[in-house]
Amino acid sequence: MAKLINVLKQCEPMASHCSLRAGGVAQDFFMPASIQALVEFLNKNTKPILLVGLGSNLLVRDSGFKGVVIKLTQLKSLQLKHNRIMAEAGVTLAKLSRFTHEKNLSGAEFLSAIPGTVGGALAMNAGAFGSEFWEFVKCIHTVNTAGEVFERQSADFNIGYRHVKPVHPHEYFIAAELEFNQTPSSQNIQQLLQKRNASQPIGLPSCGSVFKNPEQYYAAELIENSQLKGFCIGGACVSDKHANYIINHNNASATDIENLILHIQQTVKSNFEIDLETELKII
């Protein structure tokens, strides 16, 4: 196994690090090889920071980010200790799902259908098929902008639907201790993946679901009933397969995507008097 090394670049295009394949340039870009390397970097850093994982829920505007983008995908330690899974922020949710299955633990099957990392799942309470990530979180490890590491509990966060607000501001997720079920699950990873592939435009540049589901409604249904399937602005189009997906069909700019989001929100508001809130984070 190749030894991981710290990566530091300047003027890095964020289109290379976001699943929408669009976005401006990061002034500085850092990929730490370990939590210790991250701590040491933050301890010396004076610039604004943006922490990212796979970028599957992120859009950086065309003007770029004036600071340091820190990508955590090399923080991928994953182990089982005393019936708890210890997972660093860069572990992909698909890998975590497979790992729990190998260890005869259940409950993580739904994660196989979410294109993201543990850090991203912590930040937004990722969910699918009726399950949410924070149901399984027992303890969280964070780091602040000065490089100080903390151990936090669920009570230190206000957790809701696709929403996590920390009691302690300016801290970032670097690892989690998770506890899954030791009883067999009725969910099957392959069946969940087949269900996802049948209903979602897998393999195309997108960010997954763009909008949260409003209470008692489905965002996709509201968008489809607004006759917006296939509607495009520039290279950004509403998916013909799933209306809550925006596809980068033809080198869309971040501005194209943001303008399409705004048009969808305005159209749904006009038709149904419902405000659509984005899952996608726009920086």
Side-chain angles (χ1 to χ4, degrees), residues 106-121:
S106 62
E109 292 80 9
F110 75 101
L111 296 174
S112 61
I114 302 175
T117 59
V118 166

Side-chain angles (χ1 to χ4, degrees), residues 120-158:
L122 286 168
M124 66 169 292
N125 194 17
F129 304 114
S131 296
E132 293 182 326
F133 192 74
W134 275 82
E135 294 173 37
F136 306 96
V137 175
K138 295 302 175 184
C139 176
I140 311 98
H141 300 268
T142 65
V143 65
N144 67 10
T145 51
E148 298 171 306
V149 175
F150 303 91
E151 185 174 302
R152 302 296 187 194
Q153 306 301 316
S154 296
D156 292 310
F157 300 87
N158 176 8

Side-chain angles (χ1 to χ4, degrees), residues 18-281:
C18 296
S19 59
L20 271 164
R21 297 291 174 254
V25 168
Q27 186 180 57
D28 294 307
F29 180 86
F30 178 57
M31 286 180 64
S34 66
I35 288 177
Q36 184 58 36
L38 172 62
V39 165
E40 291 171 2
F41 180 88
L42 290 172
N43 187 250
K44 298 174 183 176
N45 176 63
T46 58
K47 296 180 180 180
I49 63 171
L50 171 65
L51 270 71
V52 305
L54 291 179
S56 52
N57 198 39
L58 177 70
L59 181 67
V60 177
R61 287 182 168 134
D62 294 318
S63 54
F65 183 74
K66 306 299 187 290
V68 188
V69 171
I70 302 175
K71 187 170 182 175
L72 302 182
T73 49
Q74 293 198 113
L75 307 185
K76 50 189 180 183
S77 171
L78 183 62
Q79 50 190 310
L80 181 64
K81 284 186 179 178
H82 310 299
N83 291 325
R84 281 193 180 183
I85 290 178
M86 321 288 285
E88 289 186 345
V91 173
T92 67
L93 299 180
K95 182 179 179 181
L96 175 58
S97 181
R98 291 194 300 270
F99 183 80
T100 58
H101 182 71
E102 290 165 5
K103 302 300 181 183
N104 296 315
L105 297 171
S106 62
E109 292 80 9
F110 75 101
L111 296 174
S112 61
I114 302 175
T117 59
V118 166
L122 286 168
M124 66 169 292
N125 194 17
F129 304 114
S131 296
E132 293 182 326
F133 192 74
W134 275 82
E135 294 173 37
F136 306 96
V137 175
K138 295 302 175 184
C139 176
I140 311 98
H141 300 268
T142 65
V143 65
N144 67 10
T145 51
E148 298 171 306
V149 175
F150 303 91
E151 185 174 302
R152 302 296 187 194
Q153 306 301 316
S154 296
D156 292 310
F157 300 87
N158 176 8
I159 303 158
Y161 168 65
R162 305 296 178 270
H163 163 87
V164 178
K165 185 177 181 181
V167 173
H168 307 278
H170 311 301
E171 292 183 18
Y172 302 89
F173 299 113
I174 52 174
E177 297 179 24
L178 308 162
E179 201 168 274
F180 292 96
N181 307 320
Q182 296 183 6
T183 53
S185 172
S186 58
Q187 290 189 318
N188 177 279
I189 290 176
Q190 288 306 315
Q191 289 175 352
L192 291 180
L193 290 175
Q194 288 169 5
K195 185 177 179 181
R196 179 198 67 173
N197 294 344
S199 62
Q200 299 172 9
I202 304 304
L204 297 173
S206 79
C207 64
S209 293
V210 177
F211 301 101
K212 300 178 183 179
N213 288 323
E215 197 170 341
Q216 298 182 335
Y217 293 93
Y218 291 105
E221 196 172 78
L222 295 168
I223 298 165
E224 183 171 352
N225 290 340
S226 295
Q227 313 304 316
L228 288 174
K229 266 192 169 182
F231 182 84
C232 300
I233 291 180
C237 301
V238 178
S239 168
D240 286 316
K241 192 170 187 179
H242 192 305
N244 198 13
Y245 278 62
I246 287 176
I247 307 299
N248 185 343
H249 264 303
N250 186 24
N251 295 321
S253 66
T255 302
D256 289 340
I257 295 165
E258 196 169 357
N259 286 341
L260 181 55
I261 288 170
L262 183 61
H263 178 76
I264 293 167
Q265 289 172 318
Q266 291 172 337
T267 305
V268 168
K269 175 73 170 177
S270 174
N271 289 338
F272 303 105
E273 278 300 312
I274 294 173
D275 294 305
L276 288 182
E277 184 182 351
T278 58
E279 282 191 29
L280 175 71
K281 304 301 179 189

